[in-house]
Amino acid sequence: SQDQYPELGRFISLIAAHKTEIALAEAYRCGHEAGVVAEREACAKWLDFYDGPNGRRAEAIRARGNT
């Protein structure tokens, strides 16, 4: 649903307005951002396992998504 995925709503709106180039650029940007977030979380989960409960490296990786 568009409420659950606001970027999807924007993409649909751009397509409806016949702004294909802008829509494709926006789709690429959203996909790239999602990939970066997924990769960061995968690395952090690995460090959670590797460093144990007192490790700080996973926290540092996750914090990169907030800056």
Side-chain angles (χ1 to χ4, degrees), residues 34-46:
V36 168
V37 170
E39 181 181 22
R40 186 181 300 124
E41 183 56 26
C43 291
K45 284 182 179 183
W46 183 83

Side-chain angles (χ1 to χ4, degrees), residues 6-7 10-11 14 20-33:
E7 63 276 0
R10 175 155 166 67
F11 180 67
L14 289 168
T20 306
E21 288 182 27
I22 295 170
L24 291 174
E26 182 68 9
Y28 175 81
R29 184 191 63 77
C30 290
H32 176 73
E33 288 177 8

